[in-house]
């Protein structure tokens, strides 16, 4: 028998109330902050990610599903959403719209990662991007939206880490300082970090290998190397977050795993570590659109992993409303009654009443058992006697009380 590929999973009916809850809260928060929905293709030109997420990142180097299609195009299953949104912004001339343009997406993404709790090869993000302004008030609004979103889900005990990693003007100075610092630890670094030191020194700061911790703990901090503009931006962002009462913590070692970030980076984690920690992350990417060949256009955004949100909802015992189920089950005894049941089911559905109709020729007892399992409020029972008298039996499934009511006008009674 076939099984779902490693790192992927079926979302079964009993899980769907969690998914629908999270998606509804996402849509609600987007409405409150003025974001409009966009849907992107499941695959893109692979170069889009090499040029934005970055060649030296784990995502591009190790985790991307790339393939050549029959036309010889080099494509990739989307590992993240920001690059696609920026591509769409330029492709559809959105710079002509009133700025910032605010877009959100809920989509499946793909990363060839080692599957473990909270880390999958196909996973889902709710993400949003505000493109067209470099005002730190917009960063603060995005972070506020993130905080309100998690709050609206009922999640508690989350922490928000914040950092600024500068811009092309001040980053080179910081990178030199990092390289110089790490050169003193070259013998102790893990094999990956030895390569990163050459290619992408900031990545060393979030390495989880114990051998790299001492060097990371004493590493220079990006916030100490910011140019005047970046420093002002970071100071204003922190001031606005304080005005909003958002409890952020500056984390000097947070650099995020994607190369397109400039200035602001942030991440949300549960306070207690459990499995994969990052619930969501984001930041500013002022050079991204220009780097993809568009006009210079700043942007800031965020994405949350939906599987990880659901894991935490369950972990925190947060009750999620059940999905709406059919209200009525129609049971019948005999072939003639089956025909009445078919007609009645169609009529009730036309009147907006959700119906499950029995099929086959099971005993009434077995049909009632099915109705019970479905959790319907009422069962309609049709037999020979009811056909003769133009009635049906209406059974209340909670009290098990039954009454005989006219066949005609049943929809009004049920409503
Ligand atoms: P990211 O941190 O790579 O950022 O992913 C965002 C979130 O997606 C993570 O915090 C995590 O919750 C979830 N996630 C990532 N990989 C997996 C996986 N393999 N399995 C399950 N969940 C996962 C981005 O993707 C950026 N595009 C976010 C952003 C938007 N920055 C600016 N705008």
């Amino acid at each position: 028998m076939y099984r779902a590929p490693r790192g992927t999973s079926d979302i079964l009916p009993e899980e769907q109330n969690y998914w629908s809850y999270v998606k509804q809260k996402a849509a609600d928060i987007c409405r409150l902050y003025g974001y409009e929905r966009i849907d992107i293709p499941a695959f893109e030109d692979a170069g889009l990610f090499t040029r934005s997420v970055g060649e030296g990142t784990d995502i591009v180097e190790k985790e991307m599903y790339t393939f050549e299609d029959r036309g010889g195009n080099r494509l990739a299953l989307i590992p993240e959403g920001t690059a696609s949104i920026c591509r769409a912004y330029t492709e559809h001339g959105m710079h002509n719209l009133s700025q910032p343009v605010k877009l959100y997406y809920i989509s499946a993404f793909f990363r060839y990662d080692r599957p473990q709790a909270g880390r999958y090869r196909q996973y889902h993000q709710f993400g949003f991007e505000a493109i067209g302004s470099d005002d730190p008030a917009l960063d603060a609004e995005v972070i506020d939206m993130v905080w309100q979103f998690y709050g609206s889900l009922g999640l508690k005990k989350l922490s928000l880490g914040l950092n600024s990693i500068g811009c092309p003007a001040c980053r080179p100075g910081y990178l030199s300082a990092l390289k110089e610092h790490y050169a003193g630890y070259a013998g102790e670094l893990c094999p990956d970090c030895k390569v990163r030191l050459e290619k992408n020194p900031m990545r060393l700061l979030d390495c989880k290998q114990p051998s790299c911790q001492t060097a990371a703990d004493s590493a220079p901090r990006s916030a100490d190397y910011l140019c005047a503009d970046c420093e002002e931006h970071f100071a204003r962002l922190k001031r606005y977050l304080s005005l909003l009462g958002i409890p952020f913590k500056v984390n000097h070692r947070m650099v995020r795993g994607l190369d397109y970030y400039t200035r602001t980076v942030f991440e949300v984690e549960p306070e207690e570590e459990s499995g994969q920690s990052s619930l969501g992350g984001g930041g500013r990417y002022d050079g991204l659109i220009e780097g993809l060949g568009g006009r210079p256009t700043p942007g800031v955004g965020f994405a949350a992993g939906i599987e990880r949100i659901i894991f935490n909802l369950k972990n925190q015992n947060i009750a999620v409303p059940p999905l709406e189920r059919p209200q009525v089950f129609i049971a019948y005894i005999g072939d003639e009654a089956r025909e009445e049941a078919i007609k009645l089911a169609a009529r009730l559905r036309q009147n907006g009443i959700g119906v499950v109709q029995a099929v086959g020729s099971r005993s009434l007892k077995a049909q009632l058992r099915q109705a019970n399992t479905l959790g319907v409020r009422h069962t309609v029972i049709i037999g020979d006697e009811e056909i003769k008298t133009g009635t049906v039996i209406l059974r209340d499934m909670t009290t098990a009380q039954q009454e005989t009511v006219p066949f005609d006008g049943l929809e009004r009674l049920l409503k």
Side-chain angles (χ1 to χ4, degrees):
M1 270 305 291
Y2 290 109
R3 299 181 67 90
R6 206 161 115 74
T8 71
S9 44
D10 302 307
I11 305 171
L12 296 173
E14 60 262 31
E15 290 284 304
Q16 292 291 344
N17 60 331
Y18 283 96
W19 286 82
S20 141
Y21 177 73
V22 175
K23 288 178 185 173
Q24 188 56 54
K25 295 291 181 193
D28 289 348
I29 204 82
C30 286
R31 184 181 47 79
L32 281 180
Y33 287 76
Y35 283 73
E36 291 181 295
R37 172 131 185 175
I38 179 167
D39 289 289
I40 48 174
F43 54 88
E44 296 267 8
D45 193 313
L48 175 66
F49 303 107
T50 321
R51 281 178 66 183
S52 57
V53 174
E55 215 140 6
T57 59
D58 283 354
I59 296 178
V60 167
E61 212 164 60
K62 302 183 186 161
E63 300 171 2
M64 214 151 66
Y65 281 89
T66 37
F67 59 99
E68 202 178 279
D69 71 6
R70 286 163 199 267
N73 303 298
R74 214 176 142 263
L75 301 169
L77 297 184
I78 50 174
E80 65 101 47
T82 312
S84 299
I85 303 302
C86 290
R87 193 255 317 133
Y89 176 92
T90 303
E91 184 172 338
H92 302 289
M94 293 192 210
H95 54 267
N96 293 317
L97 306 174
S98 138
Q99 307 291 305
V101 171
K102 293 175 163 182
L103 301 168
Y104 82 95
Y105 48 95
I106 297 174
S107 177
F109 292 95
F110 308 87
R111 292 184 189 181
Y112 187 82
D113 211 338
R114 197 164 57 81
Q116 51 193 292
R119 189 169 287 282
Y120 310 102
R121 290 185 175 168
Q122 176 177 332
Y123 72 100
H124 298 77
Q125 283 187 1
F126 156 49
F128 51 91
E129 315 291 345
I131 303 177
S133 165
D134 63 2
D135 189 337
L138 190 58
D139 306 46
E141 191 191 81
V142 164
I143 295 173
D144 175 49
M145 177 166 161
V146 168
W147 201 244
Q148 301 311 324
F149 168 61
Y150 287 116
S152 75
L153 289 162
L155 288 173
K156 293 177 204 76
K157 298 199 182 148
L158 301 182
S159 76
L160 172 71
L162 179 71
N163 198 10
S164 174
I165 56 171
C167 69
C170 50
R171 180 90 49 84
Y174 177 55
L175 294 183
S176 313
L178 263 185
K179 277 190 176 173
E180 201 174 310
H181 167 80
Y182 272 104
Y185 293 86
E188 297 165 31
L189 300 177
C190 74
D192 274 352
C193 279
K194 285 186 179 138
V195 180
R196 288 177 187 136
L197 187 54
E198 288 315 309
K199 279 196 182 167
N200 211 336
M202 281 205 307
R203 242 357 43 82
L204 275 84
L205 290 169
D206 59 7
C207 178
K208 303 282 184 292
Q209 295 300 324
S211 58
C212 302
Q213 296 308 305
T214 325
D217 285 341
S218 53
R221 302 167 156 195
S222 56
D224 295 335
Y225 289 80
L226 299 179
C227 60
D229 286 349
C230 287
E231 197 172 298
E232 164 77 7
H233 193 275
F234 195 33
R236 280 173 59 194
L237 169 58
K238 288 186 283 184
R239 193 159 64 241
Y240 299 151
L241 289 176
S242 301
L243 285 179
L244 288 161
I246 311 274
F248 65 89
K249 287 191 203 106
V250 175
N251 175 354
H252 293 286
R253 281 180 53 180
M254 189 207 298
V255 290
R256 308 262 308 126
L258 305 97
D259 281 353
Y260 50 62
Y261 291 115
T262 50
R263 296 184 168 172
T264 313
V265 287
F266 63 98
E267 249 171 40
V268 176
E269 295 188 345
E271 275 173 7
E272 291 151 24
E273 281 256 348
S274 51
Q276 288 303 310
S277 53
S278 174
L279 263 176
R284 181 163 275 291
Y285 42 87
D286 291 347
L288 174 48
I289 292 185
E290 191 181 4
L292 292 173
R295 307 172 179 211
T297 315
V300 56
F302 168 81
I306 301 184
E307 285 82 357
R308 293 192 193 172
I309 290 179
I310 293 176
F311 174 86
N312 280 275
L313 287 172
K314 290 180 179 171
N315 216 18
Q316 296 191 11
N317 291 318
I318 292 166
V320 166
L323 292 180
E324 209 180 304
R325 317 273 309 254
Q327 300 122 281
V328 177
F329 185 83
I330 303 183
Y332 56 81
I333 309 146
D335 284 343
E336 211 181 324
R338 186 205 319 255
E339 293 189 4
E340 291 306 304
I342 291 172
K343 284 193 284 178
L344 179 62
R347 203 175 85 207
L348 295 185
R349 290 177 186 136
Q350 274 157 17
N351 281 279
I353 298 170
V355 175
V356 175
Q357 185 209 304
V359 288
S361 19
R362 277 180 293 180
S363 68
L364 181 60
K365 201 166 153 200
Q367 294 183 54
L368 287 176
R369 220 178 299 127
Q370 186 187 356
N372 250 329
T373 320
L374 288 169
V376 293
R377 282 212 44 207
H378 291 101
T379 295
V380 174
I381 305 167
I382 312 175
D384 291 342
E385 185 58 32
E386 285 69 40
I387 296 174
K388 256 188 250 152
T389 53
T391 60
V392 298
I393 296 172
L394 186 62
R395 181 184 173 96
D396 184 319
M397 297 305 286
T398 10
T399 61
Q401 275 182 350
Q402 300 193 163
E403 55 179 327
T404 301
V405 300
F407 184 86
D408 290 333
L410 185 60
E411 57 274 23
R412 280 193 297 282
L413 189 65
L414 285 168
K415 273 192 170 170

